Amino acid sequence: MLRVPFGYLFLSDPPEDRLPVPDLRTVSGRARQDPSADFLDLLHSVRRKQDWYKEYLQSEGASPHAFVGSLKDEDNPFVIANAMHEALHTSPELRRQASSRSDYIRRLVAKVEEAGILVFRSGIVGSNTRRKLDVSELRGLAIADPIAPAIFVNSSDAKAAQVFTIAHELAHIWLGQSGVSDLSPDTEANEIREHVETVCNTAAAEFLVPKDEFLSLWRSLKSSDAVLQETAREFRVSTVMVLRRAYDFGEISRQDYFKQLESERTRQTAPTREQSGGDFRRSLVARNSRLLVNAVLESVLAGQSLYREAATVLDVKPATLSGMAVDYPFRES
């Protein structure tokens, strides 16, 4: 299936596909490939949902969020990370209370949405499980809108990678710069095309693995054969990210870093996949953001929207939306 408008087939040259947000993805010496149909459909879907939510908030008289664009990419990444913690009310206790990386993601997302930021998490386009999103093409997305800021995380990625993507995209919100990202903690500086991506990577690393806390733990465990695994478990991040922090702070040499890096890359947790037979409602809320789902249901129950119209916003059938109304409001995704 080509997934292109029928009229395109009669054009002498295909139209240029323009992304609705800045493309900040790395190239790594390769020619940039045209975005896939799945990639474009996902981006347009996220923008459509964010636009609806923004209009809804404006109709309710919402004010802009002060933290969106409150910092610049010239600012110290440590300052950015601290500002994020302060606004989100996050602390080391958040990850210590988590039972797993999945639980940490759930808790972190809850904090982000409490601050008024939409969080979309999905590994597929819409609700079509046959249209899986390629991690190599898209890891995350940020829309730095003052009224309705939003981030998207590709849930086909490994859990540890999703943790990093959340933090990276949040940094984009604080800098007020929207964009599509595909970076990981070990992406080398010479592979990154945009300065803002370097800053967001560093800010995300500090947000998740604070320098002082990291050095204290690392130095207490450095004689252990399981130092990487134990440190990664404590911070709920990947061993690759732990390696990068150790290298950046001079705890391991450049030679040791690259020697261990390839080994750890092959040991990363396998990517997750959208599965059938799970909690459909929870998955639907995660894909659409708890904030958006509750806003859509509130609009319907208040008589401001019809079920049929509202269902198109969430990419569900009207009957599904009607069934979800009995559980309104949703407390978590």
Side-chain angles (χ1 to χ4, degrees):
M1 181 179 288
L2 296 177
R3 295 195 179 97
V4 297
F6 183 72
Y8 281 18
L9 302 178
F10 296 94
L11 297 176
S12 56
D13 295 306
E16 180 182 356
D17 288 319
R18 297 194 176 187
L19 301 185
V21 294
D23 188 353
L24 304 176
R25 294 173 298 161
T26 59
V27 178
S28 301
R30 296 176 283 105
R32 184 179 300 284
Q33 297 180 347
D34 291 333
S36 68
D38 290 341
F39 180 27
L40 288 173
D41 285 352
L42 182 281
L43 291 182
H44 290 302
S45 174
V46 169
R47 283 302 303 270
R48 174 171 52 82
K49 293 173 182 180
Q50 184 265 343
D51 285 342
W52 186 95
Y53 187 64
K54 179 178 180 178
E55 291 181 7
Y56 170 80
L57 290 180
Q58 289 176 322
S59 71
E60 296 291 311
S63 301
H65 293 288
F67 58 79
V68 179
S70 59
L71 298 172
K72 304 300 179 185
D73 57 13
E74 292 84 7
D75 289 324
N76 190 312
F78 291 83
V79 172
I80 298 171
N82 289 333
M84 289 161 56
H85 277 302
E86 182 177 352
L88 298 176
H89 303 292
T90 48
S91 69
E93 287 305 310
L94 186 70
R95 68 169 189 272
R96 289 170 185 161
Q97 293 169 358
S99 59
S100 63
R101 287 193 180 97
S102 294
D103 188 35
Y104 181 42
I105 290 173
R106 181 184 65 79
R107 292 171 183 269
L108 182 57
V109 167
K111 287 290 188 180
V112 174
E113 292 192 322
E114 285 174 10
I117 303 172
L118 292 161
V119 182
F120 302 103
R121 292 176 289 151
S122 182
I124 58 176
V125 179
S127 57
N128 190 341
T129 55
R130 295 184 178 181
R131 300 186 66 185
K132 298 188 185 334
L133 296 171
D134 187 350
V135 172
S136 66
E137 188 173 29
L138 170 69
R139 271 200 156 103
L141 159 69
I143 302 175
D145 185 273
I147 299 292
I151 66 172
F152 170 83
V153 179
N154 189 340
S155 61
S156 288
D157 214 346
K159 293 298 183 184
Q162 291 181 49
V163 170
F164 179 78
T165 297
I166 291 172
H168 178 97
E169 302 309 333
L170 287 176
H172 272 280
I173 300 298
W174 260 255
L175 296 181
Q177 298 198 38
S178 304
V180 181
S181 307
D182 66 348
L183 298 186
S184 61
D186 58 306
T187 304
E188 291 299 310
N190 60 3
E191 296 180 319
I192 302 178
R193 300 171 59 246
E194 306 287 345
H195 172 65
V196 65
E197 288 293 81
T198 302
V199 175
C200 287
N201 253 28
T202 307
E206 177 62 22
F207 178 82
L208 297 170
V209 188
K211 179 179 179 180
D212 292 343
E213 193 178 355
F214 169 80
L215 290 176
S216 176
L217 180 62
W218 176 269
R219 289 169 180 172
S220 70
L221 295 172
K222 65 185 307 180
S223 60
S224 169
D225 293 335
V227 59
L228 285 178
Q229 289 70 29
E230 290 297 325
T231 307
R233 186 177 298 110
E234 168 64 26
F235 290 104
R236 303 297 182 186
V237 296
S238 67
T239 53
V240 166
M241 184 170 186
V242 170
L243 265 178
R244 184 71 200 200
R245 293 300 266 173
Y247 170 56
D248 287 343
F249 299 141
E251 294 298 305
I252 58 175
S253 67
R254 180 178 178 83
Q255 181 179 4
D256 286 342
Y257 169 68
F258 284 105
K259 180 179 179 180
Q260 296 183 64
L261 182 59
E262 287 305 317
S263 175
E264 291 304 318
R265 279 172 172 168
T266 61
R267 295 173 55 184
Q268 291 298 294
T269 304
T272 59
R273 292 179 172 81
E274 299 284 340
Q275 298 179 352
S276 60
D279 189 331
F280 170 78
R281 191 165 299 187
R282 182 183 291 270
S283 297
L284 188 148
V285 173
R287 288 201 299 268
N288 288 283
S289 175
R290 177 182 56 83
L291 294 179
L292 177 63
V293 171
N294 281 336
V296 168
L297 289 172
E298 184 173 322
S299 178
V300 169
L301 295 174
Q304 298 171 347
S305 302
L306 298 175
Y307 272 108
R308 183 179 64 257
E309 297 169 346
T312 61
V313 177
L314 303 180
D315 295 319
V316 298
K317 296 179 180 179
T320 300
L321 187 61
S322 177
M324 294 177 65
V326 299
D327 292 327
Y328 167 83
F330 287 89
R331 300 298 181 186
E332 63 177 36
S333 56

